[in-house]
Amino acid sequence: MREYIRPNDVANEIMMKRSLFGGSFLVVEGVTDGRLYGKFIDKEGCEIVVAHSKDNVKGAVKNVFQRRSEKKVIGIVDTDIDRLKNIEENGPLFSTDRRDSETVMIESEALDYVLDEYADRDRMDAFVNRFGDVRDALTGSCYHLGLLMYVSDAKDYGLCFKEPDFPSFVDKKSLRTDKDAMIDSVMENSPNSRAGKKEITEKLEKAIKEEHDPWDVCRGHDMISVLALALRETFGSYNCRYIKPGEVSGALRLAYDKGTFRRTRLFGNTSEWCSANKMNVWSF
């Protein structure tokens, strides 16, 4: 049913809530975003509305703010590949510091807390000594996939990136990606692809030479999937044998605290906007 929700539906929901609530509204893309930012809002002064897509957040906030003159509303969206395309959001819409909220959490010390809880220290030290820092390994494993998404979007190749089969192209010992196998895997999952492997490979190699910041390229959902794979197969403790990406994602949200969030550009930008517009969103 969520696929049938449109921006106007979300805008109508906000205006219906306005009749009973005098505070501010924070519109987010998904349920897990609501759980993350819900840790930090002023629960008496702000209410979260889940829009179920980035386009719905943007459309609903624009509708409510501009057409219906409801000023106590802001929206947070994932940056996705917008920064690679030189696209920036302006208030009342705000974007994550990195590609998405999961990427932001993995870059932060929240990852260290999760590894303290779930990784076997000796096995992880052995991994780091041989293959390098865990964060570098995660970005390295997902960088080419993120770039391929960027290439597909730019060239309208129609490739599908839903639930990538990471074990088919990521080595579980080193977490290194086989680019050729990755392209094969994505194409096998893309029945409506509008380009051949040779063209796709050439365009990907060209994008690699542009040397983008991996934290703006890598999709957090992908890094979490690779991290779950590593915890199961490579450096996890005894209790990680069956750990799933959803559990890792939940652990990161729990470990991501307000001190870390306060240091983000997102917090600074939204706080400045809210202060100027007399809104209560954050609890600190």
Side-chain angles (χ1 to χ4, degrees):
M1 294 295 291
R2 293 177 182 176
E3 63 268 27
Y4 298 110
I5 297 174
R6 296 292 180 262
N8 196 57
D9 299 322
V10 181
N12 288 339
E13 179 185 352
I14 293 171
M15 298 312 295
M16 287 179 65
K17 289 177 179 291
R18 169 55 74 219
S19 64
L20 299 173
F21 178 66
S24 304
F25 293 101
L26 169 60
V27 188
V28 298
E29 291 187 33
V31 173
T32 56
D33 296 309
R35 292 173 186 166
L36 175 64
Y37 298 119
K39 296 171 56 177
F40 309 128
I41 64 167
D42 176 352
K43 291 180 171 56
E44 293 185 359
C46 180
E47 186 167 333
I48 289 178
V49 176
V50 178
H52 300 294
S53 78
K54 181 175 182 176
D55 287 342
N56 282 350
V57 175
K58 296 172 71 172
V61 170
K62 182 178 180 179
N63 181 314
V64 169
F65 188 82
Q66 295 182 355
R67 292 177 55 193
R68 310 196 196 192
S69 299
E70 173 52 64
K71 303 304 182 183
K72 289 189 175 183
V73 59
I74 63 171
I76 295 177
V77 294
D78 289 340
T79 299
D80 294 324
I81 57 174
D82 289 352
R83 196 161 287 124
L84 303 184
K85 298 160 67 175
N86 296 314
I87 297 173
E88 293 287 343
E89 298 292 353
N90 297 304
L93 281 168
F94 301 89
S95 55
T96 52
D97 287 31
R98 294 301 192 173
R99 176 157 182 157
D100 49 43
S101 58
E102 290 89 352
T103 306
V104 171
M105 290 189 291
I106 291 172
E107 188 182 25
S108 78
E109 57 263 43
L111 176 63
D112 300 314
Y113 300 142
V114 170
L115 291 174
D116 286 343
E117 176 68 22
Y118 290 109
D120 179 280
R121 181 53 57 182
D122 291 337
R123 296 174 68 188
M124 193 174 75
D125 287 346
F127 174 89
V128 170
N129 289 334
R130 186 173 180 184
F131 301 112
D133 180 74
V134 172
R135 285 184 179 82
D136 291 340
L138 292 174
T139 55
S141 67
C142 299
Y143 182 71
H144 296 134
L145 184 64
L147 276 184
L148 186 58
M149 295 177 68
Y150 169 56
V151 168
S152 179
D153 178 82
K155 301 298 180 181
D156 194 27
Y157 285 156
L159 299 178
C160 179
F161 297 91
K162 185 177 181 179
E163 303 302 330
D165 182 18
F166 289 102
S168 71
F169 58 84
V170 174
D171 181 79
K172 66 181 181 181
K173 292 184 178 180
S174 66
L175 302 187
R176 290 173 180 165
T177 289
D178 182 325
K179 285 187 293 183
D180 190 64
M182 178 197 73
I183 294 172
D184 286 340
S185 180
V186 171
M187 293 190 71
E188 287 173 7
N189 195 40
S190 305
N192 298 316
S193 173
R194 291 182 284 274
K197 183 176 179 181
K198 181 180 179 181
E199 180 181 349
I200 291 171
T201 301
E202 289 175 351
K203 296 301 182 183
L204 176 60
E205 291 296 337
K206 183 178 179 180
I208 291 171
K209 292 178 182 178
E210 295 172 358
E211 298 183 345
H212 296 285
D213 187 330
W215 292 102
D216 290 332
V217 172
C218 295
R219 191 168 59 168
H221 178 77
D222 296 333
M223 286 198 284
I224 287 173
S225 293
V226 173
L227 177 57
L229 175 66
L231 288 171
R232 290 193 305 268
E233 303 285 350
T234 309
F235 51 69
S237 58
Y238 71 94
N239 61 339
C240 291
R241 186 174 179 182
Y242 302 106
I243 197 167
K244 297 179 180 179
E247 297 172 79
V248 176
S249 181
L252 282 166
R253 287 194 299 274
L254 288 172
Y256 190 74
D257 60 26
K258 68 178 182 180
T260 306
F261 179 57
R262 289 188 69 162
R263 293 192 291 272
T264 63
R265 184 174 61 252
L266 173 62
F267 174 77
N269 290 343
T270 53
S271 294
E272 183 177 350
W273 174 273
C274 290
S275 177
N277 290 275
K278 297 180 173 58
M279 294 175 61
N280 292 325
V281 172
W282 309 118
S283 62
F284 44 89

